[in-house]
Amino acid sequence: MTAHDWSPGEVVRPYGDRRDDGVVQLSFVLPVPPGERAREAAVELARRMGMDQVHVAHMEAAAERYTFFVVYARTAAGVEWDRIQVPEVTVRRRGFDELVAHALREVGRKIVVLGACTGSDAHAVGIGAILDPKGFAGDPGLERYPCFEVANLGAQVENARLARLAVERRADAVLVSQVVTQRDVHRDNARQLVVELERLGARAGLVLVLGGPRVDHRLAVELGFDAGFGAGTRPSDVANYLVLAVLRRLGKEVQ
Amino acid sequence: MTAHDWSPGEVVRPYGDRRDDGVVQLSFVLPVPPGERAREAAVELARRMGMDQVHVAHMEAAAERYTFFVVYARTAAGVEWDRIQVPEVTVRRRGFDELVAHALREVGRKIVVLGACTGSDAHAVGIGAILDPKGFAGDPGLERYPCFEVANLGAQVENARLARLAVERRADAVLVSQVVTQRDVHRDNARQLVVELERLGARAGLVLVLGGPRVDHRLAVELGFDAGFGAGTRPSDVANYLVLAVLRRLGKEVQ
Amino acid sequence: MLLSDGRVVPDLPLDRAKVERCRALADGITGQVLELVRRHTTVAIERTALRLLGLHEAGPGGVPLVNVAVDALQARGLLGRGAAYWLAWARAGGAVSPGAVAERLATLPERPEPLAPAAERAALEEVRRDARAGVDDLLRRVRTRDALRTELGQGGRPLRYVIVATGNIHEDIEQARAAAQAGADVIAVIRSTAQSLLDYVPDGATTEGYGGTWATQENFRLMRLALDEESRRLGRYVALTNYSSGLCMPEIAYIAAHERLDMLLNDAMYGILFRDINMKRTLCDQHLSRGICALAGIMIQTGEDNYITTADADEAAHTVVASQFVNLSFARRAGLPERLVGLGHAFEIDPAREDTIARELAQALLVRTLFPDSPIKYMPPTKHKQGDIFFSHVYDVMSDVVAWLTGQEIQLLGMMTEAMHNPFLMDRFSALKAADYVRRAWRSMGAEVVLRPDGLVVRRADETLGRALALLEEVAREGLLRAISRARFGDVARAEDGGKGLAGVVERAPDYFNPLVEILEAR
Amino acid sequence: MLLSDGRVVPDLPLDRAKVERCRALADGITGQVLELVRRHTTVAIERTALRLLGLHEAGPGGVPLVNVAVDALQARGLLGRGAAYWLAWARAGGAVSPGAVAERLATLPERPEPLAPAAERAALEEVRRDARAGVDDLLRRVRTRDALRTELGQGGRPLRYVIVATGNIHEDIEQARAAAQAGADVIAVIRSTAQSLLDYVPDGATTEGYGGTWATQENFRLMRLALDEESRRLGRYVALTNYSSGLCMPEIAYIAAHERLDMLLNDAMYGILFRDINMKRTLCDQHLSRGICALAGIMIQTGEDNYITTADADEAAHTVVASQFVNLSFARRAGLPERLVGLGHAFEIDPAREDTIARELAQALLVRTLFPDSPIKYMPPTKHKQGDIFFSHVYDVMSDVVAWLTGQEIQLLGMMTEAMHNPFLMDRFSALKAADYVRRAWRSMGAEVVLRPDGLVVRRADETLGRALALLEEVAREGLLRAISRARFGDVARAEDGGKGLAGVVERAPDYFNPLVEILEAR
Ligand code: B12
Ligand code: B12
Ligand SMILES: Cc1ncc(COP(=O)(O)O)c(C=O)c1O
Ligand SMILES: Cc1ncc(COP(=O)(O)O)c(C=O)c1O
C-alpha cells in the first residue's frame, strides 16, 4: 500500500523505504569510551526505546570518554491519525485590504497593539518581524495595517513595565516574544506577565499572544495566554487572529 | 558528576549537554502531509518511544504526502554498564614477525587459507583488503605473512564451489565476505555455506570466519561461524585470530 | 569554457596533440575488437533478434520464449546461422504464433530439412519485413517519449539523478514520485544484485529483489507510466534509466527502448571487470546494445566511476580517462553520437588525504574539457563513505560543489547513508535539498574562478592526461583483451576465456542471418 | 596575498586611497568620542580601580565590596573625585582591610573631612604604589599565561573556536575538555542571558545560568586551570575567552586579565546596539576595558557579526566594514596594537538567495585584506539556521570553506543545532570533524584560485568598501552618537541618553584621581 491511498484512521508509522517499516535514525553520545561494549550499550539503549533491527551505523570517540553514535533502527510505535488532537489557531484568513476594512468597520477604531520581547531576552528580531513595517518573508508587518496602532517596545522589557503600559495605553492586545528557552526561562517569564496583568486587573480585557521559535499554541494556552505562534509565523497570520480575537472580546462574534 | 569520575556499575545514559540528560536526536519520515497534526503525530511517536521533552526541531515536506522530521528529546532509558555482555574475539596480539615465527614453529607448516565473497555478492574489495598483499590502511594483507598460504577466490563464488575447494585444498581456514545485506541475503548465504561444508563433513576441521561491514562476532557465531569481523577490520586482527584458532583446532592451546 | 547549456567553467589548458593521439589510439583499440565482434554472435544477441520478431512473452514456468528457442538452437549447434534464420525456417514450416515458433525451434530435428532456395528467400524477406515493422513500431514509441520530453522540458543542468532500489516495483514507483516531487530529474532503478549474472530477462512485475529491483519489461513499463504522469503533474520531464549490463545487455537495451527509457547504464567493460563476465561475450553484446541505443536515442552512461572503487582514485585517475576514450570509441562505432554518450567518472579520492578538492577539480574539469559534447555523468563519493551520516553528507556536498563548478551534465546525488543501505526517502530528500543549495550559492563561481596556470589543478590535469595517453599506447600495443588480462583497468585482471557466459558466444556462420543487425548496420 | 602565517589567499585589488580615507575618518570619529570619555568616569570604571587596589571579595549577601563602596560614593555625589581618592582617604583614616575600607566608604558623612595637603599627598602616593604593585602582579600572571602558550604552541590557523554554555561551570569544564580533545583551539564560555545588564559582577563558582554561565572570577579561574591541564595533556595550548561587555566591561577585563584569559569579546558599540546600554556609559567603559586588555596582552574580538543578525547581511555588509574601522580606531586609542584587535564578521547572507558564496567570499576577503595585521574572527551562519540539522550542517560547512579560502585567523565553528539550543557535545564534535575535513580537502585552494578582475567578487568588494567609506563620511559629519541614534549600525536606533546605565556615568572632577588610568595613560 502506498501513501497515495493513505487515509486517516490508519496508524501512521515512520517510512524508511517501504510503508510502515518504522525506520528511524538516531544519534547520541554516551559518556563511555568506544569499544564493543559501548556498541552493545548503544544497541541495548535503542532496544529499550522499543526498537528492533538496531544497526549501529557509526561509533566514534567524540572525546576521550565520550562516544558518538549513529543508529538506524525500526520502531514498533505508531500513532492513530484520528486520535491526534491539535488545538489550532483557526481563523478564516482575509486578505490585507479586506481585513483592514472589516476591522475598521467592526471595531470602529484602531486596535491598540503593544509588542515586546520580555525579561532578559534580547531577541528583538522576531517581534520586529511581526510588528515592523517591513515584516517577514515579504509579508508586511502589523504597523503597515491601518487598522492597528502598534507600539514595539523592543527587547528586554520588564514584565511589570509592559503590564503598566498595557493599562496606560488601553491596549487591546499585547504581543510577547520569547526566544531564549533554556531552563524554561520563557515559561516563568510568560507566567510572570500574566500575574502582573492580573494584579492590575487587566488580563481579562486583553488579547494576550505569545510567540517564538519554540512556542506553540498549546504551550501559550497552558501559560495563560490566548494564543501562541511558532517558528515561521507570518504577520498576516497574527493580524487575522488579532482582529477576530479582539472582536470576540468586544462581544462581536462576526466572522 | 562528570564523565571523568565515570565508573562501571553505573547506568549509562545519553549525554547532551549535561550528565544523564538523556538527550537523543532523531529523524524520520511520516507518510502524511506536514501540518500541526503531523507535528503532533511526531511528538506522540517520540513519546511512545519513551521520550519526553520532545522538541520537533524541523518539519518539512519531503514530498507531497511525506514529511521529514528532526526531533530532539530526552529518553528515560539507560543501560547498566556491568550487565552488558559482549562476546569478543579476544586474542593476545603479536607483532608481524613474532606471529609468523610462532605460527611456523607451532603449526610446523603453512596455514592454508581460502577467501571469497560468496553468492551473488560481487564486493571483492573487503576480502581483498584482508588477503591481498597491500592490505588495508597500511596493515599488510595475509598474503604477506609467510605463515599463510592464501588463495583469494574473489567475488560471486558459489558456496558449493567454495566448500568443494576447501576440501580439495585441505584448507585450515575459510574466510567469507558478505557485504550485501538487504533482505538478510547475507544470513541465508552464510548459513548455506555451513550446510554445504557439513554435507562434505568438512565443517568441524575448519576455522570458519565471516566478515563484512554489517557483520559482527555475535552474528557470525549465530550463523554457525567461528568468528566474525566488522567494518574497519585490519588484516593483522584476522591473522592473530587465525593462528590462535588453528592451533586450538590442532589441539595446541599455546598462547 | 562556455558550455552548450550556457554555464561557464574555468578554462583548462590542454595539449591538443595529446588529446588527438588519445582518440586515435582508442579508435585503433576498438577497431581490433570490432573484427572479433563481427565474427561472433551471442545467445543474448540472438534472443534480442527474436524479441524484435515478436517473441515477447515467457512460456510456462516464466521461462522467456526467446531462451527456450535460443538455448535449443545452441544445444544443437545451429545458432551460428542466426536465430532469425530458424524463425524464418519455422514460419515457413507453418509455425505462426510466437509460442508455436518457440515450440518448433525447441524441438528441431538433428539435421533440419533445409528450405528450397526460393522459399528460403521469401521466408527471410518476410522476416526482414517484420523486423522493419518492429523497428518502426519501436521508433513510434520512442518519438512519443521525445515529444513529452520536449513538451515539458527537463530540469536545469546538472540533471539530478537519484536511485530507487526497494526491490518492490510498486514501492519504487512511490519513491520515484516522491523523489521527482523533491526535485529529482532522473530516476535510476537499481537492479537486484544477482541479475547481471542471469542469462535471461525475468518476466513480469516483481516485488522481491536483493539490493535492487529486477529489471523486467513490465517493471520498466510501470515505472515509465508513473513518471509520465508525475512529469505532467510537475510540468517537468523526469527521465528514467536502468542497466543495460551483465549477460543480457542487448535484450535489456531493446526492452528499455520499447518501454521508452531515456538512458541506460551501459559500459563496454564493466561486466568484464566487475561481474567477471567473459570479455568476448561482453564485447559482442555491448556493440549490439549500443546499436539499439543509437536507434532509440537512448543516452548511455559508462561506468568508469567503478574503477576507482576497486583501484585507488588518486593513482588510477588516468585509467578512468583512458577508458573513457575507449568507451566513447566503442559507442561511436555502434552509431552513437557523442551527445548520447554519458561518460562516467566520480569524486572518490580518500577524504583522509590533503588537497583532495584540487585533484577532484582537476579530474572533473579534465573530463569535462576532453569531451565537450558528451553529457558527462558525475558520481558522488561512495567507497570512503562512513556510517557517520553527518560527515558523509558534508563529503557529498563537496562533490556537489565540484560537480557544479566543473559543469557536469548529470549528477548522481550522494546519499549520506551510502555506507549502510540503499537510499531511504529521507536520504534523497536531504541530498536534493543540499544540492539545490549548492547550485544556488555557487551559481556564478564557475565563471569567477580562474585557475593559476602553473597551479596544482592545471598540473594535475595535464599529468593525468599524459598518463592516460601512456596507458592507451600500451593497450594499443597489447590489444584490449590482453590489457584487461593484465589488470590495466580498475586493478582487476580477467582471463580471455575466463568468466561467465563464454559458452554463449558463437562463431557466425558464413550465411549468418540477423535482420536487426542488418538494419542497424544499414543506418 | 601571503598571510603572516604562511597561508595564501586570493589577491583582492583595493583602492588604497579609499582605505586610507576610511582610516582617517574613523580616527576623526573616535577622536571626538575620546574627549567625552576623558571628561567622564563610570561606576564600572571606579569599581575596577578599587578591584586593582584589593577590593576583590564580596561582602555579606554576595554583594561585591566594590559595589558597596562605589554605590555609596555615587549616592553622595562623591564619585567624580574617583573612588581611589576616597580609598586613600579611608586608609588615611585608618581603614586597612578591604572590608574596613568598603565599610568606611559606605558610611561616609555628608561632607567628608578633607585631608591635610601633606597627608593627602602621602595617601595618594601610597595608593599609587599599591596600584603599581597590583599591575606588576597582574603582569606576572599574564607572563605565565604567555609562557605556557609559547611552550605548547597553538593549533594551526584558523584557530577553531567553540562555545560552551551549559550554565554549570563544572559541566562547562567537562565539555571544554571534550572539545579540546576533539580539536578545539579556543573555548568561549557564553554568559548567562541576563548578565550584561547587571551592574555588578557575580561572585564565586556558579551552577545555574540561562543560555550561558555567569562570568565570575572564580568561574574564570576554574576554567583556565582545567584548560592549562588539558593543554599540557594534549601538547597544544587551548585558549580561553569570555565577554568584556555589558555594564561591567572594564571590571570583567580586569578579572579576565587576572585569571589569564587569552581573549575577550569586547566591542565599542555592541552593548549600545544589542543590549540597549547607554552610549556614553559603554563608550567610557570600553576605553578602560581595552586599556586593560592592552596592558594584559588580551586579544579582543569585536562584534560586527551581530549587525547582520538584525540588519540584512547583504545590504548591511558595508556597515560591518565601517564599524570595523571605528572599532579598530577605538582600540588603537586605548593602546591595543592591531595584532590584538580581532575584528569580527560573519557568513550570514540568506541561503535562500543566489550567488551567496561570491558575496561571502567578497566580504571575507575584503575584511582580510583591509586589516592584514588583525587576527580576523569569522562567525558562522546563525540567523538563517534551520531546525533541519542536515541542511544547517552543510550551510556551516560552506562557511568553513569560505573561512579557509580567505585565510581567517579565528573561526567560530557553526553548530548544526544553532536554531534550537546551545551546543551539545555531539554538535561540537561534528562541527570540528567537518571543519577538519574542509581544511584538509581545500588545503592549497587559496593559492590556486585567481579571481576574475572584472568578476562578481572583486566588484562586490569594491562596492562594499565604497559604501563603507560613504557611511564613515556621514558618521564623521554627524558624530558617532548622532549616527547611532539614527540607526546607522545594525538597523538599531538608540537615544543619546536612553538605555541602561546612564546613571552610572559621572563627570570627572578637576582633581579626579584614578591610579589605574594614570598607569595606562603613562604607557
Ligand atoms: C540573532 C540572534 C541573536 C542576536 C539578537 C539580536 C537582536 N537584537 O535580536 C544576538 C547576537 C544579540 C544574540 C544574543 C544572544 N543569544 Co541569540 N540568537 C540569535 C539567532 C541567531 C537568530 C534569532 C533570530 O533573529 N531569528 C530570526 C527571527 C525572525 O526568527 P524568530 O525569532 O524565530 O521569530 C519568528 C517566529 O518565532 C515568530 N515569533 C517570534 N517572536 C514572536 C512574537 C509574537 C507575538 C509572534 C506572534 C510571533 C513571534 O515570528 C517570527 C517570524 O516568523 C538565534 C539562533 C536561530 N537561528 O534561531 C540565536 C539564539 C536564539 N540565541 C541564543 C542565545 C543563548 C543567545 C545569548 C543568550 C547567548 C549569550 N549568552 O550571549 C545572547 C544573549 C541574548 C539575550 N540576552 O537574550 C540561543 C537560545 C537558546 C535557547 N533555546 O534558549 C539561540 C537559539 C542560539 C543557540 N543555539 O544558542 N542572539
Ligand atoms: C565499491 C562498491 C561497489 C562496487 C564493488 C566493486 C568490487 N569489485 O568490489 C560495485 C560498483 C561493483 C558495486 C556494485 C553494487 N553494489 Co556496492 N558498494 C560499494 C561501496 C561503495 C564500497 C564497498 C567497499 O569496497 N568498501 C571498502 C572495503 C575495504 O570495506 P568493507 O567492504 O567494509 O571491508 C572491510 C570490513 O568490512 C572487513 N571485511 C569485509 N569482508 C571481510 C571478510 C572477512 C573474512 C574479514 C575477516 C573481514 C572482512 O574488512 C575490510 C577492511 O576493513 C559500498 C558502500 C560503502 N561505502 O560501503 C556499496 C554497497 C556495499 N553496495 C551496495 C549495493 C546494493 C550494490 C549493488 C547490488 C547495487 C546494484 N544493484 O547495482 C551492486 C551489485 C553488487 C553485487 N552484485 O554484489 C550497497 C549494499 C546495501 C546493503 N546493505 O545490502 C552498498 C552499501 C551501497 C548502498 N548504500 O546501497 N558496489
Ligand atoms: C556501468 C554499470 N553497469 C551496471 C551496474 C550495476 O551492476 P549490475 O549490472 O550488476 O546490476 C553499474 C553499477 O555501478 C554500472 O556502473
Ligand atoms: C561583542 C559581543 N559582546 C557580548 C556578547 C554576548 O552578549 P552579552 O554581553 O549580553 O553576554 C556578544 C554575543 O554575540 C558579542 O558579540
Side-chain angles (χ1 to χ4, degrees), chain D residues 114-160:
Chain D
L115 296 173
E120 178 170 303
R121 235 178 289 103
L124 297 187
E125 249 333 299
E126 186 199 326
V127 170
R128 284 199 176 87
R129 258 198 310 283
D130 287 3
R132 272 194 298 278
V135 166
D136 292 342
D137 172 54
L138 191 74
L139 294 177
R140 254 190 306 284
R141 304 176 64 89
V142 165
R143 277 191 294 274
T144 64
R145 175 199 67 196
D146 297 351
L148 184 61
R149 201 193 292 152
T150 333
E151 177 196 333
L152 298 175
Q154 288 180 287
R157 298 294 183 274
L159 294 176
R160 299 211 202 68

Side-chain angles (χ1 to χ4, degrees), chain C residues 138-139 142 145-146 253 257 264 266 286-300 330-337 339-341 520 523:
Chain C
L138 191 76
L139 294 177
V142 165
R145 175 198 68 197
D146 297 350
L264 283 170
N266 176 289
Q286 63 86 23
H287 185 65
L288 179 61
S289 68
R290 289 174 168 202
I292 294 168
C293 289
L295 178 72
I298 291 177
M299 177 198 295
I300 65 163
F330 271 125
R332 298 203 2 277
R333 289 188 181 282
L336 280 163
R339 63 172 178 76
L340 288 181
V341 185
L520 293 177
R523 290 181 75 233

